[in-house]
Amino acid sequence: MDIKSYDKLFINNEWVSPSSSATLSVINPATEACIATTPEGQKADIDAAVAAAREAFDQGPWPRMSASERADCMTELSQALQEDIPGLASLITQEMGSPMSFSTRSQAFSPIIVLDYYAGLARQYAFEEKRQGMVSPVVVRGEAVGVVAAITPWNAPLFTLMLKLAPALAAGCCVVIKPATETPLDANALAEAVAKTSIPPGVINIVPADREVSEYLVSHPGVDKVSFTGSVAAGRKIGAICGEQIKRLTLELGGKSAAIVLDDADLNKTIPEMVMAGLMNTGQACIAQTRILASKQRYAEVVDAVAAFVEKLKIGNPLEEDTVIGPLVSARHRERVESYISIGREEGARVVTGGGRPGHASQGWYVEPTVFSDVDNNMRIAREEIFGPVLSVIPYGDDADAIRIANDSNYGLCGTVWTEDAERGLAIARGVRTGTYTVNGMSMDFTSPFGGFKQSGMGRELGTPGLEAYLEFKTINMPTDYPLG
């Protein structure tokens, strides 16, 4: 897949000229070179995209198709995306620095799995059911919520986009996608795939834009629902706008997940997978297990094992298959991560390994993977989302204390527990207030709901709840003699 510049926006199934000459430069974080440009959408472009989506929803065929017909179109889109998965992975790696070992699986292939799942669910889901009510028969319908604004982040751009787009399409919604300014190219690649399908005009529209224009999209009267993945600060602002307008909303926000290492864990098996659950995508993942909770009896042993593993990880060119740690997405983000490393030192935590920039990387926004020990859960590095390759090892007493520390957070997105006793692990999982939990591993089940407790968000993506987030439910009361058969 060639990386190329664009001079038009994808609106109403056409590449149309933008309303201004403003452009976005896409910078490869490994080389600091501009690899492409694309138009920067303005309010007039949002108006055009929302108008196209509004017309497609109010007058077009998409929400009036059968669910199976929509599923057929979604399958066409899946096939179009599958034409060059390696190229798609490489494109995202060059956009935001994700190592290819992560990009191929999680950045390029996982979105297709999600799309295929919702195409299958659309064929099976009962969008209309006849039921016997308390007094008379009823017909319960799930109807598309309308025009959706899908606002996505830069860290997993196509995957987080598909978490919104796939269920919205299955439900019969029309969508305006606002990709992050750092990563508009994969969204344009999606547009090129859409153009190869039978998806009608106006169903999918894409406008990269800055925060001000994004806020305009959120508040646009033509938008019925907003689905946002990103920071708590931005989510709070979006939530306020949607609350004022009584607009439907799904928020997937930050995380500060805890990996609990029980005292019976086999560290030889645990450490490699657990550490990578914290450093995946160079730590730029909302689900990253960045707090490692180790029992006081084995604390020093866990710290040493984590540090020894981290020290062996290859830092370098993300296009090389054996690279594990790539660059951060931008110079500004690297400064943010480095500021937290400084804060950790000031708070009294000890850097066991890392803590600086790799000496061999003269170009690129790299930070060494960093492990802190002697961390108290009240420290900022244990409470605030750093979104970089920084792990904090925190001691605990017994199982109840581990659960207490894991829950002592404003976040509740994910978590893991590592043990030789699955039932003990399940007991821990039941006690931690977080949306997704894994015993002896780190996984997301795409057929099951994903989302956060507390400030990690509102609503759920994936699974049947992810589809129902794009539906309005209508109850029609029928005459008492209406047949249910």
Side-chain angles (χ1 to χ4, degrees):
M1 182 176 294
D2 294 333
I3 293 180
K4 59 185 179 182
S5 294
Y6 293 81
D7 60 3
K8 291 182 170 59
L9 298 169
F10 189 75
I11 297 174
N12 208 30
N13 271 28
E14 295 181 338
W15 291 97
V16 301
S17 296
S19 64
S20 82
S21 59
T23 60
L24 296 169
S25 296
V26 180
I27 308 300
N28 183 328
T31 65
E32 303 181 41
C34 177
I35 57 173
T37 60
T38 192
E40 180 180 8
Q42 306 299 311
K43 292 179 180 179
D45 302 308
I46 294 293
D47 286 336
V50 173
R54 190 79 260 167
E55 176 69 16
F57 184 79
D58 292 339
Q59 306 297 330
W62 187 251
R64 295 159 188 85
M65 287 180 175
S66 70
S68 292
E69 290 173 322
R70 291 196 297 271
D72 289 342
C73 292
M74 294 168 67
T75 299
E76 291 177 20
L77 180 56
S78 172
Q79 292 169 346
L81 289 171
Q82 290 180 58
E83 290 177 3
D84 189 6
I85 290 176
L88 191 56
S90 175
L91 183 150
I92 295 173
T93 287
Q94 293 178 76
E95 273 188 308
M96 58 75 55
S98 177
M100 280 294 290
S101 56
F102 182 84
S103 282
T104 301
R105 179 184 70 255
S106 298
Q107 302 279 29
F109 194 59
S110 287
I112 294 167
I113 296 175
V114 172
L115 182 58
D116 288 344
Y117 165 72
Y118 277 109
L121 184 60
R123 299 181 195 278
Q124 301 170 5
Y125 186 82
F127 288 92
E128 181 171 299
E129 288 184 304
K130 296 178 182 178
R131 304 178 186 172
Q132 179 59 51
M134 291 184 67
V135 176
S136 66
V138 297
V139 174
V140 178
R141 287 175 51 82
E143 299 182 358
V145 70
V147 172
V148 174
I151 302 175
T152 58
W154 48 259
N155 65 312
L158 189 59
F159 177 67
T160 52
L161 188 161
M162 200 59 72
L163 295 182
K164 307 170 192 319
L165 179 63
L169 293 178
C173 297
C174 299
V175 186
V176 177
I177 297 166
K178 204 297 296 181
T181 54
E182 294 88 349
T183 53
L185 299 182
D186 63 276
N188 284 342
L190 172 70
E192 293 176 343
V194 171
K196 298 177 181 179
T197 73
S198 304
I199 296 174
V203 174
I204 299 174
N205 310 273
I206 301 172
V207 182
D210 66 11
R211 291 182 181 181
E212 180 183 354
V213 176
S214 298
E215 184 173 334
Y216 180 74
L217 171 61
V218 168
S219 61
H220 200 290
V223 170
D224 299 297
K225 175 185 170 70
V226 176
S227 183
F228 170 77
T229 298
S231 71
V232 171
R236 187 177 288 116
K237 190 166 189 177
I238 290 170
I241 295 170
C242 291
E244 182 179 357
Q245 297 184 356
I246 319 296
K247 189 171 288 186
R248 280 59 181 156
L249 175 65
T250 299
L251 295 175
E252 197 273 279
L253 306 177
K256 195 67 180 178
S257 300
I260 299 175
V261 185
L262 296 185
D263 51 17
D264 68 344
D266 181 340
L267 296 188
N268 290 327
K269 293 190 299 184
T270 294
I271 294 300
E273 193 169 354
M274 183 190 66
V275 169
M276 290 316 304
L279 297 181
M280 68 176 83
N281 205 20
T282 314
Q284 299 171 120
C286 56
I287 61 174
Q289 309 293 291
T290 54
R291 288 187 296 157
I292 298 173
L293 277 53
S295 67
K296 292 177 181 177
Q297 296 92 326
R298 301 187 70 185
Y299 184 77
E301 183 184 1
V302 171
V303 169
D304 290 345
V306 170
F309 182 82
V310 169
E311 288 170 354
K312 296 176 183 178
L313 300 178
K314 178 182 174 180
I315 309 168
N317 183 351
L319 289 172
E320 295 177 359
E321 289 291 343
D322 60 343
T323 293
V324 180
I325 303 295
L328 298 176
V329 71
S330 66
R332 180 180 62 184
H333 188 56
R334 178 170 66 174
E335 291 173 2
R336 181 179 185 274
V337 172
E338 289 177 328
S339 74
Y340 272 105
I341 294 174
S342 296
I343 288 168
R345 288 187 166 110
E346 292 165 4
E347 290 180 319
R350 179 171 65 91
V351 173
V352 183
T353 188
R357 299 180 182 181
H360 68 274
S362 59
Q363 286 183 317
W365 297 310
Y366 291 89
V367 171
E368 292 175 323
T370 300
V371 179
F372 278 103
S373 69
D374 304 330
V375 179
D376 184 276
N377 199 55
N378 291 317
M379 293 178 178
R380 286 181 63 187
I381 58 170
R383 304 201 70 80
E384 299 176 16
E385 187 175 39
I386 299 172
F387 223 64
V390 181
L391 305 177
S392 296
V393 188
I394 303 169
Y396 70 86
D398 56 13
D399 289 9
D401 191 39
I403 293 171
R404 179 191 64 79
I405 294 171
N407 285 334
D408 182 16
S409 173
N410 292 329
Y411 298 104
L413 188 59
C414 288
T416 59
V417 61
W418 306 81
T419 176
E420 292 296 292
D421 185 341
E423 285 299 322
R424 186 181 175 195
L426 180 58
I428 295 283
R430 287 174 174 147
V432 179
R433 290 183 55 76
T434 192
T436 297
Y437 211 85
T438 307
V439 178
N440 292 337
M442 177 63 222
S443 62
M444 290 174 59
D445 186 311
F446 295 167
T447 68
S448 302
F450 171 76
F453 288 35
K454 298 180 276 188
Q455 291 187 20
S456 285
M458 294 173 56
R460 293 293 182 267
E461 297 181 310
L462 292 173
T464 301
L467 171 62
E468 292 177 342
Y470 294 89
L471 297 174
E472 296 276 24
F473 289 93
K474 175 190 290 182
T475 298
I476 304 171
N477 297 288
M478 300 300 293
T480 54
D481 58 352
Y482 182 73
L484 290 176

